[in-house]
Amino acid sequence: MTLNDMTGRTALITGSTGGIGMETARGLAELGASVILVGIDRVRAQRAAQEIRAGAGHDRVDALAADLTGLHGLRQVASQIAERHDTLDVLVNNVGLNRPRRELTVDGVEKMFAAHVLAPFTLTHLLLPQLKRAGRARVVNLTGGIPGGPIEHDNLLGERRFLGWTFSHYNHTKTMTMALTARLARELRGTGVTANVVYPGHGYTPMNRATPISAFPRLYRPIAPLVLKVVAPLFLSDLTRSARSSIHLAASTEVEGLTGAYFDDRCRRKPLPASALDERNQNAVWDLCARLSAGVPNESTT
């Protein structure tokens, strides 16, 4: 993997005050990029930025605090970026959460859909002016869990079922992230902005440590404690490994100009699952995001 010198380039990473997002931010900062962290807790965000500055050897690391499950937080971040940066070279939509029951945001949107699908859709559209002005900008969306199952048009917001014996709305939304990215790549052709999706693998992240057993499908609950308490701490604690595919898509010379692609946790290109390639699924997810984010400019089609 050959990585660009990122000096002079600006990268925004959401959900980057810990876990895979923070390691992605650290890796890009060490390549010379100016990095903007986004997290929900201001103190934690500032502490993460300070740590990354020390390791990267430069002070071009800033931190923003916002709740990206809400439209207000997304607009807040986009506004601050527009005030401070004329261009944006990399947008990594990394923010994620896993809930054991259906919860709604202040906008009335199911929270995991809001974080994994609506936030990437909305933030990408709000930042398109900066991304386009950068020339060859890159949008990187993260999937996760066990994606690739069916996308249920009558259950996009988990309103019909949320957890089952094998079904998890977490996995459902992560599959929708893949479908969204495929449609986004198609919409952005000709703009100079690429959009790809990455699977980081399983890591012992703060989110995973905080995930209750009740958030797992029933079939997996008997082994979940073993995985979370024993396997993950022993074998999945090196989050630099989980961040390498995000860094690859953000900075590698090998993916220059590539769009609509899916990469696994070893930086290998893999085919998107059939459910994500189905244009009916892509359109269902896209149309719902467009409706829920009413008022967000649709720069990609202008």
Side-chain angles (χ1 to χ4, degrees):
M1 176 171 64
T2 304
L3 300 176
N4 286 307
D5 178 355
M6 297 292 285
T7 304
R9 303 187 188 187
T10 303
L12 172 67
I13 304 97
T14 69
S16 49
T17 59
I20 296 169
M22 184 171 173
E23 292 307 319
T24 301
R26 192 194 311 275
L28 293 176
E30 290 176 354
L31 289 171
S34 299
V35 170
I36 306 151
L37 313 179
V38 184
I40 195 168
D41 183 275
R42 186 175 301 278
V43 173
R44 189 178 174 193
Q46 293 293 348
R47 188 181 300 123
Q50 183 177 7
E51 180 182 327
I52 292 174
R53 286 189 205 107
H58 63 77
D59 62 359
R60 299 184 307 278
V61 182
D62 295 322
L64 303 177
D67 180 359
L68 298 186
T69 65
L71 294 176
H72 174 75
L74 292 163
R75 291 190 174 102
Q76 178 185 350
V77 167
S79 176
Q80 291 180 74
I81 296 301
E83 289 173 1
R84 304 176 190 181
H85 300 276
D86 187 57
T87 61
L88 181 65
D89 298 275
V90 176
L91 169 61
V92 181
N93 289 302
N94 171 86
V95 68
L97 50 87
N98 194 356
R99 292 288 190 263
R101 64 189 63 85
R102 191 172 187 266
E103 301 174 25
L104 301 182
T105 69
V106 293
D107 303 306
V109 181
E110 190 280 316
K111 278 193 174 181
M112 289 194 290
F113 182 93
H116 305 154
V117 189
L118 185 59
F121 174 93
T122 305
L123 194 56
T124 300
H125 279 83
L126 287 171
L127 293 173
L128 268 177
Q130 287 76 29
L131 289 164
K132 287 180 177 180
R133 283 196 292 269
R136 294 176 293 179
R138 305 182 184 188
V139 177
V140 181
N141 293 334
L142 270 75
T143 185
I146 308 174
I151 292 176
E152 302 176 348
H153 292 201
D154 62 345
N155 193 44
L156 297 180
L157 297 178
E159 57 268 69
R160 186 170 59 82
R161 63 171 180 155
F162 196 79
L163 282 169
W165 282 101
T166 58
F167 177 84
S168 161
H169 191 59
Y170 177 85
N171 295 334
H172 192 206
T173 60
K174 288 299 189 176
T175 305
M176 285 189 257
T177 303
M178 302 167 90
L180 173 77
T181 307
R183 170 69 186 267
L184 180 62
R186 194 164 74 247
E187 294 285 335
L188 292 177
R189 288 192 186 278
T191 67
V193 181
T194 61
N196 296 295
V197 63
V198 63
Y199 183 81
H202 299 286
Y204 194 48
T205 65
M207 185 193 79
N208 286 337
R209 290 198 294 271
T211 299
I213 302 304
S214 57
F216 289 83
R218 293 183 183 89
L219 185 65
Y220 307 139
R221 289 178 190 176
I223 64 169
L226 175 66
V227 173
L228 290 176
K229 304 296 184 183
V230 179
V231 176
L234 285 176
F235 301 105
L236 304 176
S237 59
D238 182 4
L239 296 181
T240 60
R241 296 170 58 184
S242 300
R244 61 185 175 184
S245 291
S246 296
I247 295 170
H248 175 68
L249 280 177
S252 175
T253 59
E254 298 161 21
V255 297
E256 187 72 53
L258 182 67
T259 194
Y262 171 45
F263 282 75
D264 70 7
D265 59 333
R266 297 185 181 182
C267 305
R268 301 174 300 190
R269 186 173 180 180
K270 297 290 184 177
L272 281 161
S275 56
L277 288 172
D278 188 324
E279 290 193 9
R280 294 168 299 178
N281 292 339
Q282 295 175 13
N283 295 341
V285 172
W286 186 272
D287 292 347
L288 178 58
C289 287
R291 178 170 63 80
L292 293 173
S293 62
V296 174
N298 188 2
E299 290 280 347
S300 65
T301 56
T302 60

